[in-house]
Amino acid sequence: MEVLQDKIKLIKEKGHEICLHSYAHKRPLQLSLDEFRKDTVEGMNSFKKFTGLEVDGYRAPVLV
């Protein structure tokens, strides 16, 4: 796990953006706003807990 953390930090240090792709990988248009918010916040918190870094953006897994 530490190797993965180090790789993610190195990617960030080299100037790349780190974006969230969802926590549960559910289609965002099939979620209520509250479900989407919960999924996104859970993913951001999980990523920060694991790496100590903030995500820079979001890309939906599938839009339809």
Side-chain angles (χ1 to χ4, degrees):
M1 260 217 218
E2 289 178 11
V3 172
L4 185 56
Q5 290 171 325
D6 291 342
K7 286 182 179 183
I8 292 170
K9 289 178 181 177
L10 181 61
I11 289 167
K12 180 80 169 176
E13 288 170 6
K14 296 220 177 236
H16 297 278
E17 291 182 335
I18 304 292
C19 295
L20 183 65
H21 187 62
S22 140
Y23 183 79
H25 210 268
K26 294 180 180 176
R27 295 177 179 201
L29 294 179
Q30 295 178 344
L31 301 174
S32 70
L33 182 56
D34 287 338
E35 290 170 325
F36 175 76
R37 185 177 290 120
K38 181 181 177 187
D39 181 72
T40 302
V41 168
E42 189 171 358
M44 290 179 349
N45 291 342
S46 219
F47 184 80
K48 185 169 184 175
K49 183 178 179 182
F50 180 69
T51 65
L53 301 171
E54 301 279 346
V55 296
D56 298 309
Y58 174 84
R59 185 198 175 278
V62 176
L63 289 176
V64 291

